[in-house]
Amino acid sequence: MTNRKMFFTMLWGAVFRRRSRAMMAVIASLVGAATLFCLASVCVAVPQQMNEEMRAYGANLIVTPASATGKSQGIDTATVRNVTALVGAGHSVKSAAYRYESVRINSAPYTIAGVDVKAVRALNRHWNVTGDWPGSGNVMVGRDVADALGVKVGSRVTIGYRAADASASASSSASAKSDSDELTETAESSAQGTQSTQTTQGEQTTQATENGRVSSDIMDNNGTEFRIAGIVDTGGNEDSIIYATTADVSKLAGHERGADVVEYSVNAMGDELNAIVNRINKNTNTAVKAQTVTKITSSDTRIIAMLQTLFWIVSLVVLVLTLVGVGTTISSIVSQRRNEIGLRKALGADSRAIGVEFYVESGIYGLIGGLLGTAIGYVLARVLCSTVFGRALGLNWLLCVGSLLLSVAIAVIASIPPVRRATRIDPAIVLREE
């Protein structure tokens, strides 16, 4: 019998003659592999799944005109298409454009947004709308507007447009919706525009009230009558805005122009999302400014960071427990085979051959446990993703290979201390005890 054949014969006997001990080592590796694979699969899948779920809560990136001229003219359709192509390169994306104008209802100032209803509805699935969305001749008002006017679904309001009110509406609305520190300059320029408009209006008001009479322009309630189709309640800035179709806003204002804000919900986050922003801002041909919506992106980052931290903590605990479990089992096997080891050394077997046999035996336990544990871990991860996110989890083959290799490595590393003790057994002492 050759040495190689003898080696495998002894290895086979060592594994299958001591089934109870071998089963304990396999179970220890199985539990570790199942837990680690399940956590790793969820940790890899959760950011993507969560990013998709968070997209239901609105945009994570907005685009506004970069120059004063652009703010007055808005973002034209061609520019919107170019920016959308930049944002959507390699990512799924939803977008909606908003045109803001200042209007008056019962002499009080309000902001009206001209929108593509289908696009806004798809982008903002979290909006709580009572009634219907805007349509031709129908508007949707925010909860704060409805409460201030004392109206409900089905009521009719007269909306008046004055060109003097419109100069500051676009940029101020953009600043309100972005919730981003990067819009400081935009907000400042909006404030300057507002101040200039107010100064002009103040001069007009002073002239109109010289004889103690109130300006008829201020008290002018003429306009276009609209039916309130619905009321939107989000708890945010949307509650103070009136929404109408883009065609109705253009007709009300008497002219057409581009969007003041384009919102994007892109399937990207963190550095990947920042790279998209930088790519847009560096493109001088678009003449727009992009920034992330910090309220959404910070929530994504914080939750994912917490999950990853939990993953590493649990993984560390599982690794330690697996090392202890496999190491204890191998120590028990070495103790049982102490006499056999002493006899083999007395017959001329060297310590290296004995150590290799034990390392291979531990590796087999790790491989079997890793195979079973990876399968069980995948089932658990699939059930977890299906239950929490309602989505199927694909099998990550790279993660499977990593799980098997890690299981074998942990089993071998855990066997090092007991194997070193086995190779130091003095055959003379062992035989004397016999």
Side-chain angles (χ1 to χ4, degrees):
M1 181 178 291
T2 62
N3 291 337
R4 179 175 297 180
K5 188 174 181 180
M6 175 63 72
F7 174 80
F8 286 109
T9 300
M10 296 184 67
L11 186 63
W12 178 272
V15 172
F16 290 97
R17 279 202 308 267
R18 299 173 178 84
R19 293 186 181 88
S20 59
R21 301 290 181 181
M23 188 63 69
M24 291 176 60
V26 169
I27 290 175
S29 296
L30 183 152
V31 172
T35 306
L36 290 176
F37 186 84
C38 180
L39 289 174
S41 297
V42 172
C43 192
V44 170
V46 159
Q48 183 67 25
Q49 301 276 17
M50 184 172 295
N51 189 37
E52 294 178 3
E53 292 294 328
M54 291 295 287
R55 297 291 64 78
Y57 294 93
N60 57 351
L61 184 151
I62 69 167
V63 172
T64 55
S67 62
T69 303
K71 290 175 184 177
S72 62
Q73 298 178 352
I75 307 173
D76 58 49
T77 304
T79 301
V80 172
R81 282 198 299 265
N82 293 335
V83 173
T84 302
L86 290 174
V87 175
H91 301 89
S92 61
V93 61
K94 296 178 182 178
S95 65
Y98 300 79
R99 172 188 174 179
Y100 295 104
E101 299 290 352
S102 285
V103 296
R104 287 185 179 264
I105 303 176
N106 297 335
S107 301
Y110 291 96
T111 299
I112 190 169
V115 298
D116 180 339
V117 176
K118 184 178 180 181
V120 173
R121 192 170 186 172
L123 182 66
N124 300 289
R125 290 179 290 166
H126 67 291
W127 284 12
N128 182 21
V129 176
T130 303
D132 297 324
W133 286 71
S136 179
N138 295 273
V139 298
M140 180 176 69
V141 300
R143 171 54 60 187
D144 294 343
V145 177
D147 291 343
L149 296 175
V151 296
K152 59 183 180 180
V153 175
S155 300
R156 292 188 172 273
V157 294
T158 300
I159 301 177
Y161 173 83
R162 297 194 312 169
D165 291 340
S167 60
S169 64
S171 57
S172 61
S173 298
S175 298
K177 287 185 73 64
S178 68
D179 193 28
S180 174
D181 293 338
E182 296 181 4
L183 280 181
T184 302
E185 295 180 1
T186 304
E188 290 176 353
S189 63
S190 301
Q192 292 173 359
T194 304
Q195 183 178 2
S196 175
T197 303
Q198 290 174 345
T199 302
T200 304
Q201 293 175 353
E203 293 174 356
Q204 295 174 350
T205 304
T206 301
Q207 294 173 0
T209 58
E210 285 180 353
N211 297 322
R213 296 178 181 178
V214 179
S215 169
S216 60
D217 185 42
I218 295 177
M219 299 301 295
D220 185 7
N221 290 325
N222 293 328
T224 304
E225 187 178 69
F226 289 90
R227 175 182 175 274
I228 296 178
I231 299 174
V232 58
D233 188 355
T234 67
N237 294 320
E238 295 83 2
D239 292 357
S240 60
I241 297 176
I242 303 167
Y243 294 91
T245 63
T246 303
D248 279 350
V249 172
S250 297
K251 185 177 180 180
L252 181 66
H255 65 281
E256 295 184 357
R257 66 179 181 86
D260 296 302
V261 176
V262 182
E263 294 184 346
Y264 290 95
S265 178
V266 56
N267 191 21
M269 57 187 175
D271 294 337
E272 195 175 9
L273 184 61
N274 291 330
I276 296 175
V277 171
N278 293 332
R279 186 163 63 244
I280 296 173
N281 290 335
K282 290 178 180 178
N283 191 330
T284 57
N285 296 327
T286 58
V288 296
K289 180 181 179 181
Q291 58 260 318
T292 60
V293 180
T294 56
K295 184 186 295 184
I296 300 296
T297 54
S298 62
S299 297
D300 284 356
T301 304
R302 183 172 60 255
I303 294 172
I304 291 171
M306 291 172 59
L307 288 174
Q308 289 176 338
T309 301
L310 179 63
F311 164 74
W312 287 114
I313 293 175
V314 175
S315 297
L316 182 61
V317 173
V318 171
L319 284 174
V320 172
L321 293 177
T322 304
L323 285 169
V324 171
V326 176
T328 302
T329 304
I330 298 298
S331 295
S332 176
I333 293 174
V334 169
S335 298
Q336 278 189 336
R337 298 175 60 184
R338 187 168 178 270
N339 295 337
E340 175 190 333
I341 294 170
L343 179 60
R344 289 177 59 186
K345 293 189 73 173
L347 294 175
D350 59 357
S351 298
R352 181 176 176 277
I354 295 174
V356 169
E357 180 183 333
F358 276 103
Y359 288 136
V360 173
E361 182 179 345
S362 300
I364 291 175
Y365 297 147
L367 180 62
I368 297 173
L371 284 170
L372 297 176
T374 299
I376 295 174
Y378 172 68
V379 172
L380 292 175
R382 189 178 178 88
V383 170
L384 185 61
C385 286
S386 177
T387 303
V388 177
F389 297 103
R391 301 172 186 268
L393 177 68
L395 182 60
N396 189 327
W397 289 104
L398 185 62
L399 201 59
C400 290
V401 174
S403 177
L404 292 177
L405 294 177
L406 183 62
S407 297
V408 174
I410 291 176
V412 172
I413 292 172
S415 66
I416 291 177
V419 170
R420 291 185 63 183
R421 289 195 298 270
T423 56
R424 293 175 181 175
I425 292 176
D426 187 347
I429 297 176
V430 173
L431 294 177
R432 187 181 303 118
E433 292 176 353
E434 289 295 320

